[in-house]
Amino acid sequence: TPIPELGVETPQPEELRVELNPISGERPLTAITYRIFQERDLIRTFSIEPHKLLSYLFALEDSYQQVPYHNKLHGADVCQSMHVLLNSSGIKDVFNEFEILAAIFAAVVHDVHHSGLTNPFLIKTKNDLAILYNNESVLENHHVAVAFKLLQADERNIFSNLSAEQMETLRKRVVDMVLATDMAKHKTLLADFQNLLEAKKMSGNDYLTLESYDDRILVLKNLIHCADLSNMTKPLDTYSKWIDRLMVEFWKQGDAERDLGLDISPMCVRSPTTKDKHQIGFINSFVHPLWETWGSLVYPDANTILETLAQNREWHEASLAALTSSTTD
Ligand SMILES: COc1ccc(-c2ccn(C[C@@H](O)CN3CCOCC3)n2)cc1OC1CCCC1
Ligand SMILES: [Zn+2]
């Protein structure tokens, strides 16, 4: 049976298409994710009922908070970035459709209900979530818990036709990937990834073969981490819009810290130079090492991404130089 292009059968496709159009404007997360599920034939492969997929995505989209950066647009962006990265020819045929379903789902849910505040802020203010999750990956645990809670309503359970065993493995993969987006895990995650690639290179065969669950999920964890840290690899006009959103979110947290008489987190201090300095520092410490490692796995698919990342860093260095020279004159 053909999958209805608009998600539901209708005697008036044109009218429904007009109806749905505003959705992609107001509902970017639903529009992008539904389209990716269709393009990857996930709806047919896993016998997903289209109306349940729409109900789930609507509820998920509405559960993203209206904060400047970690909102439904970020969820949609990471999902779309994950979709593109999964198409790298360097990992063609490596992952099966269950892993792809888990990766796309993890990407679109990974920041749901984000409060626009950081884990350290929630911990130092003894937020209920920090108490609930014992200071351990507080936001990440919350996001993935909310994502699965939304599945419990039957009309939203898009995985109802998976076997219990398939659901168990899907759930483990999704939890593992979303928890891997915690920056506190970055150094270990990247070191393990580099060790895996080193071992594979020693084995001599030029294509990636991953046998164990641990090896396969390690690559998928780094993949969602790349998608989550992909703003800096995008064309400058897109990248700079993400920076502006994030800075507004951080500055709001800085205001809250000041009002509470707490130390203001370094990223949350309002000042013209911190933006460039922090972006350069973050790219040098985290983003470039991660993308360079990913680039070595999928060589040469990520070369354009690495070039754009380098150009974006140079742009910050130039604007920092201009700023500091103007202030010292
Ligand atoms: C456009 O710039 C950025 C874009 C993204 C990020 C960034 C940092 C961590 N992440 C990932 C988390 O959001 C992980 N989240 C946490 C909450 O739980 C879910 C998973 N993303 C940092 C960016 O810039 C740096 C911060 C200020 C200047 C340098
Ligand atoms: Zn994120």
Side-chain angles (χ1 to χ4, degrees):
T1 55
I3 299 284
E5 186 225 330
L6 301 166
V8 287
E9 289 303 345
T10 165
Q12 295 98 9
E14 264 326 296
E15 287 75 356
L16 181 59
R17 196 187 310 279
V18 168
E19 263 318 292
L20 283 178
N21 258 349
I23 278 181
S24 37
E26 290 139 38
R27 291 196 166 275
L29 181 146
T30 297
I32 283 177
T33 310
Y34 192 88
R35 185 61 197 276
I36 291 169
F37 267 66
Q38 271 182 316
E39 275 189 23
R40 291 187 171 276
D41 213 16
L42 297 172
I43 297 174
R44 188 195 315 275
T45 307
F46 297 103
S47 311
I48 295 172
E49 293 169 60
H51 68 92
K52 287 192 177 184
L53 181 53
L54 281 176
S55 301
Y56 182 81
L57 291 174
F58 270 46
L60 180 75
E61 185 147 32
D62 292 343
S63 300
Y64 268 88
Q65 305 275 66
Q66 296 188 345
V67 291
Y69 179 90
H70 285 103
N71 54 45
K72 63 187 185 178
L73 264 180
H74 173 63
D77 173 52
V78 171
C79 183
Q80 193 265 342
S81 301
M82 169 66 82
H83 173 55
V84 170
L85 290 171
L86 278 170
N87 283 343
S88 305
S89 52
I91 52 165
K92 189 169 164 0
D93 305 328
V94 171
F95 295 111
N96 63 47
E97 59 225 353
F98 285 100
E99 290 164 321
I100 288 168
L101 175 67
I104 298 289
F105 183 76
V108 72
V109 309
H110 87 283
D111 269 336
V112 66
H113 209 248
H114 196 295
S115 51
L117 300 164
T118 61
N119 282 331
F121 181 90
L122 298 176
I123 291 166
K124 70 185 174 184
T125 56
K126 298 181 177 45
N127 184 284
D128 284 352
L129 287 177
I131 306 296
L132 180 65
Y133 293 116
N134 306 305
N135 294 359
E136 174 60 36
S137 297
V138 175
L139 277 165
E140 295 79 8
N141 271 299
H142 180 56
H143 301 320
V144 69
V146 168
F148 279 95
K149 228 180 246 339
L150 288 174
L151 277 175
Q152 286 184 324
D154 194 50
E155 74 276 6
R156 292 197 296 257
N157 183 7
I158 57 176
F159 302 129
S160 53
N161 290 326
L162 264 65
S163 71
E165 192 188 359
Q166 289 168 338
M167 187 59 219
E168 192 184 328
T169 312
L170 176 98
R171 175 164 160 76
K172 177 164 177 50
R173 288 193 175 112
V174 172
V175 170
D176 284 347
M177 278 185 253
V178 173
L179 293 185
T181 61
D182 182 356
M183 284 308 289
K185 310 258 177 72
H186 168 82
K187 292 254 186 282
T188 312
L189 187 62
L190 183 54
D192 292 349
F193 188 32
Q194 289 165 338
N195 292 341
L196 175 71
L197 296 189
E198 199 47 45
K200 289 293 164 190
K201 216 176 287 173
M202 303 304 278
S203 67
N205 49 19
D206 59 351
Y207 51 90
L208 182 69
T209 54
L210 299 167
E211 285 78 28
S212 67
Y213 175 87
D214 288 353
D215 283 357
R216 301 177 73 82
I217 201 66
L218 176 60
V219 177
L220 289 171
K221 286 177 181 177
N222 279 277
L223 180 48
I224 192 172
H225 191 36
C226 283
D228 200 23
L229 298 183
S230 63
N231 292 165
M232 305 79 175
T233 70
K234 302 287 171 69
L236 186 59
D237 57 335
T238 305
Y239 169 33
S240 59
K241 290 188 180 81
W242 289 120
I243 299 178
D244 293 342
R245 285 173 174 273
L246 189 70
M247 295 325 294
V248 171
E249 191 167 297
F250 278 168
W251 291 337
K252 280 179 144 177
Q253 176 171 309
D255 296 346
E257 288 168 333
R258 191 188 50 247
D259 296 348
L260 291 166
L262 299 167
D263 292 346
I264 299 186
S265 311
M267 308 283 190
C268 303
V269 178
R270 275 187 174 73
S271 107
T273 55
T274 52
K275 194 166 88 167
D276 294 309
K277 216 169 4 191
H278 284 141
Q279 285 297 324
I280 294 166
F282 193 73
I283 291 170
N284 289 338
S285 310
F286 299 105
V287 181
H288 186 259
L290 172 65
W291 277 103
E292 197 178 37
T293 308
W294 179 261
S296 70
L297 169 64
V298 297
Y299 185 84
D301 307 342
N303 283 7
T304 313
I305 287 177
L306 288 167
E307 276 155 31
T308 310
L309 178 59
Q311 286 157 10
N312 286 338
R313 178 173 42 189
E314 277 146 33
W315 181 79
H316 283 297
E317 278 157 2
S319 45
L320 192 59
L323 255 175
T324 36
S325 68
S326 63
T327 43
T328 45
D329 286 355

